[in-house]
Amino acid sequence: MSATSARAEPPKVAVFDFELIDTSLQGEVQGPRSDEHARLAHAAEQLRSALQESGRFRVVDIAPVNDAAHNSNLQACGGCDVKLAAEIGADIAITGTVQKVSNLILNMNIYLHDAHTGQPMAIMTADMRGNTDESWTRTMAWLVRNRLLAPNYGAPQAQ
């Protein structure tokens, strides 16, 4: 390892707010819930904090592109997350979803894309049981610890 690479800056990441995919009967009948929207914002903030505190990433402020991000479906906009991340100088675009099947069955997903090429870098997912602040917080903590900060983003290592 050269002295230059040892002092290299950590990659800059743009962590966008998470999006809810509500396929539950409750969501169809009652519509969006304010507690779930608060959990989505908290999940992104928890992720930003954990990545910054790790020292392995430098989190960039998404405020300049936040309105555009919120007015897009980042999972189906044809790479607008990558374009928005590049606009603010990020190396990696991170988006996430929580799919709600019911109040008991949910799934949290995190997607990483190279902001220079648009290529996917990693996808990580975890199921959670229960639609509570605690279940969402614990699931995010697990994904950060066992996937995002794990070698090769938690993918199996070649032997």
Side-chain angles (χ1 to χ4, degrees), residues 4-21:
T4 306
S5 64
R7 289 184 296 232
E9 287 286 318
K12 294 176 280 195
V13 295
V15 179
F16 294 99
D17 290 341
F18 278 50
E19 297 172 324
L20 182 67
I21 302 168

Side-chain angles (χ1 to χ4, degrees), residues 110-128:
I110 300 173
Y111 308 92
L112 281 70
H113 286 92
D114 184 307
H116 305 291
T117 67
Q119 292 299 308
M121 296 173 64
I123 298 171
M124 47 210 67
T125 187
D127 291 336
M128 57 182 153

Side-chain angles (χ1 to χ4, degrees), residues 2 14 22 25 37 44 46 49 53 77 84 87 104 120 135-136 154:
S2 72
D22 191 346
L25 177 60
H37 285 284
Q46 180 184 355
S49 294
E53 289 170 10
C77 63
L84 293 171
E87 276 182 44
L104 180 61
S135 65
W136 285 50

Side-chain angles (χ1 to χ4, degrees), residues 6-158:
R7 289 184 296 232
E9 287 286 318
K12 294 176 280 195
V13 295
V15 179
F16 294 99
D17 290 341
F18 278 50
E19 297 172 324
L20 182 67
I21 302 168
D22 191 346
T23 58
S24 70
L25 177 60
Q26 179 190 31
E28 185 177 323
V29 173
Q30 297 176 348
R33 290 177 30 181
S34 61
D35 62 332
E36 291 168 345
H37 285 284
R39 288 186 191 114
L40 290 168
H42 179 264
E45 195 52 46
Q46 180 184 355
L47 179 54
R48 287 182 195 106
S49 294
L51 294 179
Q52 188 68 38
E53 289 170 10
S54 76
R56 293 178 47 192
F57 298 93
R58 196 169 108 216
V59 177
V60 298
D61 184 9
I62 63 165
V65 296
N66 201 30
D67 285 341
H70 279 267
N71 289 318
S72 302
N73 176 341
L74 295 177
Q75 303 308 315
C77 63
C80 67
D81 59 323
V82 170
K83 291 175 189 159
L84 293 171
E87 276 182 44
I88 56 176
D91 300 309
I92 301 172
I94 299 180
T95 60
T97 60
V98 173
Q99 181 178 7
K100 178 182 173 186
V101 177
S102 70
N103 265 330
L104 180 61
I105 303 169
L106 299 99
N107 181 275
M108 187 176 285
N109 306 285
I110 300 173
Y111 308 92
L112 281 70
H113 286 92
D114 184 307
H116 305 291
T117 67
Q119 292 299 308
M121 296 173 64
I123 298 171
M124 47 210 67
T125 187
D127 291 336
M128 57 182 153
R129 295 297 176 255
N131 191 4
T132 66
D133 293 347
E134 181 180 6
S135 65
W136 285 50
T137 299
R138 284 184 176 201
T139 301
M140 177 59 74
W142 188 90
L143 283 167
V144 168
R145 183 177 58 252
N146 295 291
R147 296 295 182 260
L148 266 167
L149 298 180
N152 201 29
Y153 300 115
Q157 300 293 310

